[in-house]
Amino acid sequence: EAAVTQSPRNKVTVTGGNVTLSCRQTNSHNYMYWYRQDTGHGLRLIHYSYGAGNLQIGDVPDGYKATRTTQEDFFLLLELASPSQTSLYFCASSGTGGSQNTLYFGAGTRLSVL
Amino acid sequence: GQQVQQSPASLVLQEGENAELQCNFSSTATQLQWFYQSPGGSLVSLLSNPSGTKHTGRLTSTTVTKERRSSLHISSSQTTDSGTYLCAINTGKLTFGDGTVLTVKP
């Protein structure tokens, strides 16, 4: 079973604060994704990457930066956090971006911006 | 408009009843996947089903690609099936619906 580890699991910050969410996968997957999930909504894609140094823009990228430092590590950065970014964040990985791949999700990070 | 629409938004069943969840999508999708999210929030992939019918355990998914719809049938529901069921299409990246919240009562 693929392992995707997110940290921290919970984070509280203030408006204007600087937050970094971390994600590590240990299964040599090429693709990694950051999603946010809000009450009553499915998951919305923020950014994704298909390899170290690569970054692709998702559907809701405003206010977020991301960086893929290695094949294993994908970071989501909120440089000026706002209350609208209070959400549950999921990281996921998959072997390829093709149609037969399965996504493996981390346990999620709950972020509150006060 | 929303690319993936799921219905019903919520469903309450008695244990042992069957559930039928629907997913309609507006884009040409190369893949369709069903996910389960537990009440605690964890997410797991249930089925990948681009077309036709697939079974796994008590789950059956039927996707009619030409009509841009898929269904997930859960037979003999159990209380442990309670949670949110998400449908996602792959158009180069996965796009999720808002989910169906299933509650199975003992």
Side-chain angles (χ1 to χ4, degrees):
Chain A
E1 182 74 13
V4 181
T5 304
Q6 292 184 234
S7 62
R9 293 295 313 279
N10 293 280
K11 176 73 177 179
V12 180
T13 189
V14 295
T15 300
N18 196 319
V19 176
T20 298
L21 306 185
S22 302
C23 178
R24 165 164 280 209
Q25 53 92 7
T26 58
N27 287 275
S28 302
H29 283 169
N30 293 324
Y31 279 75
M32 295 186 75
Y33 309 80
W34 277 108
Y35 287 90
R36 62 176 288 174
Q37 186 179 34
D38 304 292
T39 303
H41 290 85
L43 282 79
R44 292 182 289 173
L45 182 63
I46 304 169
H47 291 297
Y48 63 108
S49 165
Y50 51 73
N54 176 265
L55 182 65
Q56 303 294 316
I57 294 172
D59 298 321
V60 290
D62 292 347
Y64 301 95
K65 292 184 179 179
T67 179
R68 180 87 177 269
T69 55
T70 64
Q71 187 174 31
E72 293 79 18
D73 298 300
F74 195 30
F75 300 94
L76 186 67
L77 300 92
L78 292 72
E79 293 182 332
L80 286 172
S82 72
S84 65
Q85 294 176 307
T86 293
S87 189
L88 180 58
Y89 291 86
F90 286 99
C91 175
S93 73
S94 65
T96 71
S99 60
Q100 297 303 314
N101 77 95
T102 296
L103 246 60
Y104 296 92
F105 282 91
T109 295
R110 192 168 295 279
L111 174 67
S112 296
V113 184
L114 305 178
Chain B
Q2 193 165 2
Q3 286 189 292
V4 183
Q5 293 185 317
Q6 293 187 242
S7 61
S10 62
L11 183 60
V12 180
L13 299 174
Q14 290 297 131
E15 196 167 28
E17 293 182 327
N18 299 329
E20 188 84 11
L21 311 180
Q22 303 291 337
C23 177
N24 292 277
F25 45 98
S26 58
S27 300
T28 302
T30 59
Q31 180 59 291
L32 184 135
Q33 296 186 22
W34 285 94
F35 292 83
Y36 168 74
Q37 186 169 30
S38 71
S42 63
L43 279 155
V44 293
S45 176
L46 294 173
L47 282 169
S48 293
N49 186 20
S51 66
T53 299
K54 283 196 173 180
H55 305 276
T56 180
R58 293 181 293 107
L59 304 179
T60 301
S61 173
T62 300
T63 298
V64 183
T65 310
K66 281 194 305 186
E67 297 179 12
R68 296 183 179 175
R69 60 178 175 85
S70 181
S71 64
L72 181 68
H73 181 87
I74 306 172
S75 63
S76 304
S77 64
Q78 301 172 1
T79 57
T80 51
D81 294 332
S82 296
T84 302
Y85 291 78
L86 296 164
C87 168
I89 61 170
N90 192 331
T91 58
K93 57 183 191 288
L94 277 179
T95 300
F96 286 80
D98 289 348
T100 293
V101 179
L102 176 64
T103 303
V104 181
K105 296 185 173 181

